[in-house]
Amino acid sequence: MTYSGLIEAITRIEAGDLLSCVAAMDEANRLVGEVPSGERAVNELLHHVIEKISRWVRDGFGDDRNAERDDLISALQKFDAPREADTGQSGIDQEDADYDLVMSFIAESRSHLEDIESRLLSMEVDRDPELVNGVFRSIHTIKGVSSFLGLPRVKTLSHALETVLDEVRNDRRSVDSELIDILLEGCDRLTAFVNALDSWAETVEPSHPGHLAEPDVFINDVLERLRSLDHKDEAPPEKPHSLYTPEMIDSFVQESLEILDSAEKALMDLDEGAGRESLDEAFRGIHTIKGNAGFFEQEDIGQFCQSLESVMDGMRKGDRTIGSGAVTGLLDGLDALRSHLSRLSSDYVPEDEEVASAQPNRESLTLGKVLIEMGAVQPEDVDAALDAQGRRIGEILIDSGVVAESTVQEALTVQNARVPKSETGTSTIAKRDVRVDTGRLDLLFTLIGELITAHAMVINNPELNDLELPEFEKASSSMGKIIRDIQSLSMSIRMIPLDGLFSKMRRLSRDLARKFGKTVEFLSTGEDTEMDRQIIEQISDPLVHIVRNAIDHGLEDGATRQASGKSESGIVELSARYEGNEVWISVRDDGGGLDREKILARAGERGMNIGDDGGASMEDSAVWSLVFEPGFSTAETISDVSGRGVGMDVVRRNIEQLRGLVNVESIKGKGTTVTLQIPMTLAIIDGITFHAGGILFALPIADILEFHRPDADAITQAPGGRRILRIRDQLLPVITLEKYYKLDRAQEDNTDNVFIILGSGNRRAAVPADELLGNQQLVIKALPPRLRGVRALSGCAILGNGDVCMILDVGYLLNAELNGDAR
Amino acid sequence: MSKTVFCVDDSPSIRMLVRKTLEPEGYQLREANNGQEALDALAADAAADMFIVDVNMPVMGGFDFVKALKSGAAHTQTPVVFLTTESGDEKKNIGKDLGVKGWIVKPFEGSQLTKIVGLLTT
């Protein structure tokens, strides 16, 4: 029996270091178990040791213990036997990871990392020492907790970041953009760790998670850069400005792969005889990938996409037959793209023989070029016929999950009042969070939707019409209130503040500014405005596009700005607010504004409808709308990110899919403001139901301006058959639904009808109704398949009495009117 | 009668760990996010047989908290231990001057914490 382990443990005891005391006591206790019976002296000695050490702990520390400690050691040494292997500290339990701790760590770290990013960005312009302290403390905490999980790299990385920050807060290092860059990157890596842990957590059983291996996030480059901050030489030349992190690249790869899947399917549809739409879809997909590739400085991918685009463009122009051979060539191209993208992803594991080269498959690249030559393609503009197809109604419904007619959309609604703003976690105590399976959450919302319909069917049941049921009415009213409360609650569960999205834009704007060589001041208000989390995801891309445009095209470069008396630094301001039923998100830049002449000129070139006077009589807003037409672009070079004219029309399409609007205001020389108007209600609306042409229709109250009963002489007929309604001083086009839908009814003289005045953005129209029925909440359901191609319908709804009404899509209706399609 | 351990730490994960370690052993746990909150909580209810205090906290850190604690009447003798990630020399001495029993370096093992608490609350 040897005491060398115990002696070593006692030697390690430092005054005040309680763990070292306990470790020694553990060792002594272990030895007690090994004492052969009858060896009383040994037993007593060991217990004496334990007693002594307990006393040290209890009485607090002091250096006078050292003498006692040495006595103990000599006493033990007398008993010592030949050395055995030292058992050492068992350290952190390597068996089952502590699932709760991992989850808590993830939540806590995310919160800290958000704070850190936000503080770091502020640190660039604000020398407030509290910012530095805050970042330091956050990193320190992450380091501390991570040590319990056995995450040495996290610890190493945080320690390195901490050291640099400590220097800053002790005035031994100054803050500059390069420092902020590297610190941001360090935080991105920490975020990558947290994300990887999150993924791990999703795959394991909480009660039996098994061993947690530290995620394999690469940190050496960041460590290297942190170390080299001390020296005056430049950072390693391979990555001068790491604007992107492996995690962002993964995200880009993921997104691109998904797009490629869709594009592939579209191309195969095309091969099987589908129409132009499939080609357009594939084109748009490649275009998106090209844009993103540009952002991540993936030249090869960008050029490859360019080649594919040119081939497809030639096909779109219609002067080449789209034969199977051509489609095969394109599919090969997609494959090459796919494999190249996969290599970029951080969890790519190369096969043994494979050389992880940075070039896409040479063979396919050549194939692409050959196809271009074969087609004699001019890299010209996109065909304006893109927008001739009517929009698919199905696209309008988000979160479709609509499988059969019986499925009801989830209930998201705002009753009357606005959704109250919630606190956005400013307290330092973490909120109690719970992980919920999103599938179940969606099901819950679906059922709530059904509950609303069922409730409506109960209280509006025609069988109750003639009955006097005061008690029943009280009870059902109380039930109604409870249901409304559940609705609000379910909506609030899905609502999160725009803060996260704005932070992303802030970061994007900083990175883009540096990329384009401009200085940008990013402002934001209304970040605590809340929206449904899925809607936020949907508007993220359009917003990125708009911000990119603002910085790239909107803001002039520093010199130009100064020459015209502006500050060198351009402003990009993001703001969000509630407006009635909607959330309005604006992106304002103080750049050069939209060039009306240039836009009109371009529209003319494209053959767009700008009137006989070359657009001189067009209102500004109408001119700005031209920018959103597919096929439009004023960028000179094709290889520009938005150069193919796909950018802004996709933005508007995405927003209109959310039943929202895009509004543009611009003053030449002063700047441009793009506003996204997104309704908060998705699938439940307040609507007015009415009869017209024998059909039951409904209109969202939000789009109705007023009801009007005109005098006989207020309606006139314009040449061409269109009717005009005069209200006060305004002339409004009349949209007669019988005619619009070609309903087979005798032409009514509806001068004594009620006219419903619709408005959306700047557009107005009047719709005559045969009979107004009432105002009610409607749960929007998808149109049955045979009705899906019908224009200007956003869905249908079941009324309380079981009748079905058609819900009109006001945006579409008014659009058609503006373009002269309706009469 | 069970003993009450007061854990003052701004990291919810650490507090959770301490709670998960000590509650099964029969200890009552109280928690606070920083020194100031702890003092406020104690003003309302002074019960605590031992303090586990993180050194780095916002608003009021470990040292300031212990100073304030020891200058009040209720807990001049109550054992206090610090939680820290390093055991630098400066911290050692300050703690000593404040009458703290010692420190515990992170990461620690649950059983070790339990033993320490056991020793200090008997």
Side-chain angles (χ1 to χ4, degrees):
Chain A
M1 182 157 153
T2 176
Y3 304 102
S4 58
L6 181 55
I7 292 173
E8 223 178 284
I10 297 178
T11 319
R12 272 197 229 117
I13 292 182
E14 244 189 273
D17 184 352
L18 299 172
L19 288 181
S20 60
C21 294
V22 172
M25 284 173 63
D26 279 345
E27 180 62 15
N29 273 313
R30 190 185 69 82
L31 288 175
V32 165
E34 288 181 15
V35 175
S37 54
E39 298 252 17
R40 271 192 49 198
V42 173
N43 218 317
E44 272 181 26
L45 175 60
L46 285 173
H47 278 104
H48 174 71
V49 168
I50 294 173
E51 240 321 291
K52 255 290 165 354
I53 302 181
S54 312
R55 194 94 58 71
W56 291 346
V57 172
R58 271 196 273 255
D59 295 347
F61 57 118
D63 299 309
D64 41 327
R65 303 291 173 216
N66 289 339
E68 291 187 2
R69 191 185 65 185
D70 294 336
D71 284 343
L72 275 182
I73 294 178
S74 0
L76 284 168
Q77 273 167 342
K78 291 201 197 111
F79 281 84
D80 204 4
R83 292 184 162 260
E84 287 167 17
D86 189 35
T87 48
Q89 285 241 84
S90 52
I92 302 299
D93 194 85
Q94 284 296 327
E95 287 314 314
D96 249 355
D98 184 336
Y99 188 81
D100 290 334
L101 181 59
V102 176
M103 295 315 291
S104 181
F105 172 71
I106 291 173
E108 196 179 333
S109 301
R110 279 207 198 284
S111 167
H112 277 298
L113 286 165
E114 272 173 24
D115 284 344
I116 289 172
E117 187 179 58
S118 155
R119 286 199 175 106
L120 284 175
L121 289 173
S122 300
M123 262 167 70
E124 243 184 328
V125 291
D126 187 347
R127 300 294 169 210
D128 182 1
E130 254 318 293
L131 289 172
V132 188
N133 275 328
V135 179
F136 180 90
R137 271 199 299 269
S138 292
I139 302 247
H140 185 77
T141 304
I142 293 178
K143 187 176 87 167
V145 183
S146 72
S147 63
F148 283 94
L149 291 170
L151 301 172
R153 274 156 142 188
V154 174
K155 196 168 175 198
T156 306
L157 178 56
S158 0
H159 185 75
L161 292 168
E162 210 184 53
T163 309
V164 170
L165 282 161
D166 202 29
E167 290 168 7
V168 173
R169 71 176 181 168
N170 291 330
D171 278 325
R172 292 206 307 276
R173 181 182 290 285
S174 56
V175 176
D176 59 22
S177 282
E178 194 197 337
L179 180 70
I180 301 287
D181 260 346
I182 181 60
L183 290 173
L184 279 172
E185 174 126 19
C187 287
D188 286 342
R189 297 300 163 90
L190 287 174
T191 307
F193 275 109
V194 173
N195 288 339
L197 285 175
D198 218 347
S199 305
W200 171 87
E202 271 174 40
T203 59
V204 298
E205 257 303 308
S207 52
H208 220 52
H211 177 58
L212 169 65
E214 187 178 34
D216 195 14
V217 176
F218 189 62
I219 59 170
N220 288 349
D221 55 341
V222 175
L223 292 177
E224 189 51 50
R225 281 181 67 191
L226 283 168
R227 272 193 285 270
S228 70
L229 279 175
D230 276 324
H231 313 292
K232 286 308 166 191
D233 6 14
E234 294 299 301
E238 329 93 55
K239 273 203 185 166
H241 291 297
S242 299
L243 297 169
Y244 40 88
T245 67
E247 174 217 356
M248 279 168 81
I249 292 189
D250 276 358
S251 175
F252 155 62
V253 169
Q254 199 50 46
E255 186 196 16
S256 303
L257 289 176
E258 282 169 14
I259 293 176
L260 281 177
D261 285 346
S262 305
E264 186 177 56
K265 185 171 179 304
L267 283 177
M268 291 194 293
D269 286 346
L270 187 66
D271 203 19
E272 288 162 27
R276 292 275 296 280
E277 233 183 320
S278 299
L279 186 55
D280 294 337
E281 191 189 341
F283 182 92
R284 271 197 292 272
I286 298 296
H287 180 81
T288 304
I289 297 179
K290 187 183 80 168
N292 290 342
F295 182 48
F296 287 104
E297 292 170 7
Q298 296 295 329
E299 306 285 344
D300 292 323
I301 293 186
Q303 277 168 15
F304 193 65
C305 288
Q306 184 83 43
S307 319
L308 289 173
E309 268 189 35
S310 299
V311 175
M312 285 192 271
D313 209 22
M315 291 172 169
R316 289 209 286 182
K317 288 176 74 178
D319 51 6
R320 306 177 71 238
T321 44
I322 307 174
S324 275
V327 173
T328 309
L330 286 173
L331 288 173
D332 283 354
L334 292 191
D335 284 339
L337 206 48
R338 207 180 263 125
S339 76
H340 186 52
L341 281 167
S342 308
R343 282 204 208 98
L344 285 181
S345 142
S346 67
D347 48 21
Y348 171 69
V349 175
E351 320 264 296
D352 290 306
E353 304 85 55
E354 211 174 31
V355 176
S357 76
Q359 309 302 318
N361 194 317
R362 278 288 159 210
E363 199 183 279
S364 296
L365 238 187
T366 321
L367 192 59
K369 291 219 175 92
V370 168
L371 286 170
I372 296 174
E373 272 141 28
M374 268 168 51
V377 173
Q378 276 83 47
E380 272 304 298
D381 319 296
V382 175
D383 200 311
L386 237 185
D387 66 333
Q389 330 258 337
R391 280 194 354 249
R392 289 181 158 273
I393 302 303
E395 288 170 15
I396 296 179
L397 297 169
I398 315 298
D399 312 329
S400 47
V402 170
V403 178
E405 296 101 86
S406 58
T407 310
V408 177
Q409 302 287 326
E410 329 80 55
L412 300 164
T413 192
V414 168
Q415 273 302 100
N416 317 305
R418 301 170 184 196
V419 175
K421 288 186 199 169
S422 73
E423 302 85 30
T424 46
T426 44
S427 77
T428 45
I429 297 189
K431 297 189 278 249
R432 288 185 162 279
D433 293 329
V434 150
R435 276 173 83 89
V436 177
D437 172 43
T438 45
R440 287 193 196 165
L441 214 52
D442 287 340
L443 183 58
L444 177 66
F445 297 140
T446 301
L447 288 174
I448 292 178
E450 292 197 34
L451 182 61
I452 295 173
T453 307
H455 173 73
M457 292 192 69
V458 166
I459 59 175
N460 292 325
N461 203 305
E463 288 176 7
L464 300 172
N465 277 351
D466 299 320
L467 304 175
E468 271 281 327
L469 304 163
E471 287 306 312
F472 173 79
E473 291 194 11
K474 261 203 270 185
S476 67
S477 156
S478 138
M479 179 178 171
K481 178 174 189 314
I482 294 175
I483 290 181
R484 282 193 294 276
D485 285 344
I486 294 180
Q487 252 179 16
S488 294
L489 185 63
S490 75
M491 186 174 186
S492 73
I493 290 175
R494 297 172 61 103
M495 305 269 281
I496 53 173
L498 282 165
D499 191 50
L501 183 62
F502 278 22
S503 298
K504 186 176 159 190
M505 292 303 127
R506 182 181 182 192
R507 177 75 189 269
L508 173 73
S509 120
R510 176 186 182 275
D511 293 343
L512 284 174
R514 300 196 71 184
K515 182 177 188 199
F516 292 128
K518 301 180 181 171
T519 35
V520 172
E521 194 188 337
F522 183 90
L523 304 169
S524 65
T525 57
E527 320 57 9
D528 50 350
T529 310
E530 288 190 341
M531 289 183 75
D532 179 80
R533 118 196 13 245
Q534 266 158 329
I535 299 187
I536 291 185
E537 269 170 49
Q538 310 266 358
I539 61 174
S540 175
D541 279 346
L543 215 51
V544 166
H545 236 105
I546 296 174
V547 169
R548 210 186 273 172
N549 271 345
I551 297 180
D552 188 12
H553 300 302
L555 293 178
E556 319 93 320
D557 64 77
T560 314
R561 287 180 65 92
Q562 283 181 319
S564 51
K566 292 186 183 174
S567 59
E568 191 198 340
S569 177
I571 293 180
V572 168
E573 180 177 12
L574 224 59
S575 58
R577 63 187 190 281
Y578 295 115
E579 279 283 344
N581 220 10
E582 302 176 330
V583 173
W584 286 17
I585 302 174
S586 301
V587 179
R588 176 180 78 84
D589 68 74
D590 68 343
L594 294 174
D595 189 333
R596 186 189 159 107
E597 303 314 318
K598 221 170 166 193
I599 292 176
L600 284 173
R602 196 62 156 198
E605 279 174 38
R606 298 264 189 290
M608 291 169 144
N609 178 16
I610 52 174
D612 301 322
D613 52 358
S617 59
M618 279 177 88
E619 297 230 350
D620 276 351
S621 53
V623 177
W624 309 147
S625 302
L626 293 172
V627 177
F628 291 98
E629 297 301 316
F632 184 93
S633 167
T634 52
E636 262 77 58
T637 51
I638 286 298
S639 49
D640 183 68
V641 168
S642 9
R644 290 261 186 200
V646 177
M648 284 317 255
D649 91 307
V650 172
V651 166
R652 188 169 75 173
R653 182 187 294 255
N654 283 355
I655 299 301
E656 284 182 345
Q657 274 184 347
L658 295 169
R659 294 175 58 242
L661 288 177
V662 184
N663 222 320
V664 176
E665 278 166 13
S666 178
I667 301 179
K668 186 156 185 175
K670 289 276 166 60
T672 309
T673 304
V674 180
T675 305
L676 306 177
Q677 300 169 357
I678 320 272
M680 289 202 284
T681 61
L682 253 201
I684 294 192
I685 57 165
D686 263 330
I688 296 284
T689 45
F690 62 98
H691 271 122
I695 304 276
L696 198 51
F697 287 102
L699 278 166
I701 283 191
D703 298 324
I704 297 180
L705 295 174
E706 62 178 293
F707 299 97
H708 186 76
R709 229 188 205 101
D711 302 325
D713 58 352
I715 306 176
T716 49
Q717 196 141 42
R722 181 190 296 187
R723 294 196 297 156
I724 310 278
L725 173 69
R726 182 171 45 81
I727 293 189
R728 301 183 283 274
D729 292 326
Q730 280 197 310
L731 295 175
L732 303 179
V734 171
I735 302 178
T736 316
L737 293 172
E738 290 99 319
K739 278 208 184 140
Y740 188 72
Y741 288 113
K742 299 186 176 57
L743 300 169
D744 209 5
R745 296 254 305 192
Q747 172 70 18
E748 304 251 340
D749 167 25
N750 34 27
T751 41
D752 56 14
N753 284 9
V754 171
F755 278 69
I756 307 175
I757 311 301
L758 304 176
S760 181
N762 294 328
R763 304 168 286 181
R764 304 267 185 277
V767 174
D770 293 337
E771 186 194 356
L772 289 183
L773 293 174
N775 158 11
Q776 52 200 265
Q777 283 212 319
L778 306 163
V779 180
I780 305 181
K781 301 176 72 154
L783 291 168
R786 65 197 148 81
L787 288 181
R788 293 257 169 91
V790 178
R791 55 184 181 163
L793 288 184
S794 55
C796 57
I798 301 182
L799 299 182
N801 60 7
D803 286 343
V804 176
C805 69
M806 299 293 136
I807 305 178
L808 290 165
D809 180 343
V810 176
Y812 193 96
L813 213 53
L814 291 174
N815 231 348
E817 187 50 39
L818 196 67
N819 291 344
D821 286 344
R823 272 203 270 148
Chain B
M1 212 191 53
S2 64
K3 303 283 182 177
T4 302
V5 176
F6 202 134
C7 179
V8 189
D9 192 318
D10 66 320
S11 162
S13 305
I14 301 289
R15 294 199 308 266
M16 181 193 78
L17 253 176
V18 170
R19 178 182 285 270
K20 274 176 73 166
T21 305
L22 296 177
E23 263 182 356
E25 304 291 333
Y27 292 98
Q28 298 271 42
L29 259 296
R30 295 179 72 183
E31 296 177 18
N33 207 30
N34 59 59
Q36 187 57 56
E37 283 188 24
L39 290 176
D40 294 340
L42 288 167
D45 172 4
D49 296 301
M50 176 179 165
F51 290 91
I52 299 179
V53 182
D54 185 20
V55 171
N56 278 299
M57 293 183 289
V59 180
M60 182 191 269
F63 294 138
D64 291 332
F65 167 66
V66 173
K67 265 191 241 162
L69 185 71
K70 295 289 181 185
S71 61
H75 290 290
T76 42
Q77 298 303 319
T78 314
V80 177
V81 300
F82 274 140
L83 284 180
T84 170
T85 42
E86 294 104 30
S87 47
D89 277 334
E90 335 85 56
K91 294 197 177 136
K92 241 207 285 187
N93 290 327
I94 297 178
K96 187 168 149 193
D97 295 335
L98 290 175
V100 167
K101 295 294 178 192
W103 64 80
I104 302 179
V105 182
K106 301 181 225 180
F108 49 81
E109 253 196 277
S111 58
Q112 297 177 317
L113 179 66
T114 312
K115 288 208 181 69
I116 294 173
V117 172
L119 285 172
L120 290 173
T121 54
T122 39

